[in-house]
């Protein structure tokens, strides 16, 4: 970056990149928890994990980390998997 504005934008890009990476990592962890509970067949744990995962999904959409339709699709698939457990 050769100009002040370009240097500032480079700093901002780095900050946003780190934030997005942290949010995406947290999102993936929460989704894995739900899938692990579903695989284990533990209905109550799966419901609890889904309840924790949905706000994380919505938060990543709000911050522009993932697309709204991707979050909706993920929530739908996880909800179907948990519902099958009964």
């Amino acid at each position: 970056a050769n100009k002040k504005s370009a240097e500032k934008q480079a700093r901002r890009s780095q900050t946003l990149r780190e934030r997005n990476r942290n949010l995406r990592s947290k999102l993936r962890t929460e989704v894995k928890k739900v899938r692990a509970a579903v695989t284990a067949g533990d209905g109550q744990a799966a419901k609890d994990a889904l309840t924790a995962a949905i706000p994380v999904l919505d938060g990543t959409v709000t911050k522009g980390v993932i697309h709204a339709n991707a979050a909706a699709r993920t929530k739908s698939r996880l909800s179907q998997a948990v519902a099958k457990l009964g």
Side-chain angles (χ1 to χ4, degrees):
N2 294 323
K3 296 189 176 192
K4 257 189 167 178
S5 59
E7 289 172 1
K8 181 176 180 179
Q9 186 57 43
R11 286 193 310 269
R12 179 132 176 80
S13 293
Q14 182 65 26
T15 303
L16 289 174
R17 180 174 172 266
E18 290 171 8
R19 186 194 72 178
N20 289 345
R21 188 174 62 192
N22 289 335
L23 290 169
R24 195 175 297 116
S25 175
K26 182 172 178 152
L27 169 68
R28 288 175 179 162
T29 301
E30 293 297 328
V31 171
K32 283 180 189 177
K33 287 179 185 175
V34 177
R35 290 189 177 138
V38 168
T39 303
D42 189 353
Q44 188 58 42
K47 286 179 184 177
D48 294 341
L50 180 62
T51 304
I54 288 175
V56 175
L57 276 158
D58 293 337
T60 55
V61 170
T62 302
K63 292 177 177 69
V65 178
I66 62 172
H67 195 275
N69 290 353
R73 183 175 61 242
T74 304
K75 287 191 287 189
S76 174
R77 288 176 181 172
L78 292 175
S79 297
Q80 285 177 346
V82 170
K84 280 185 182 178
L85 293 176

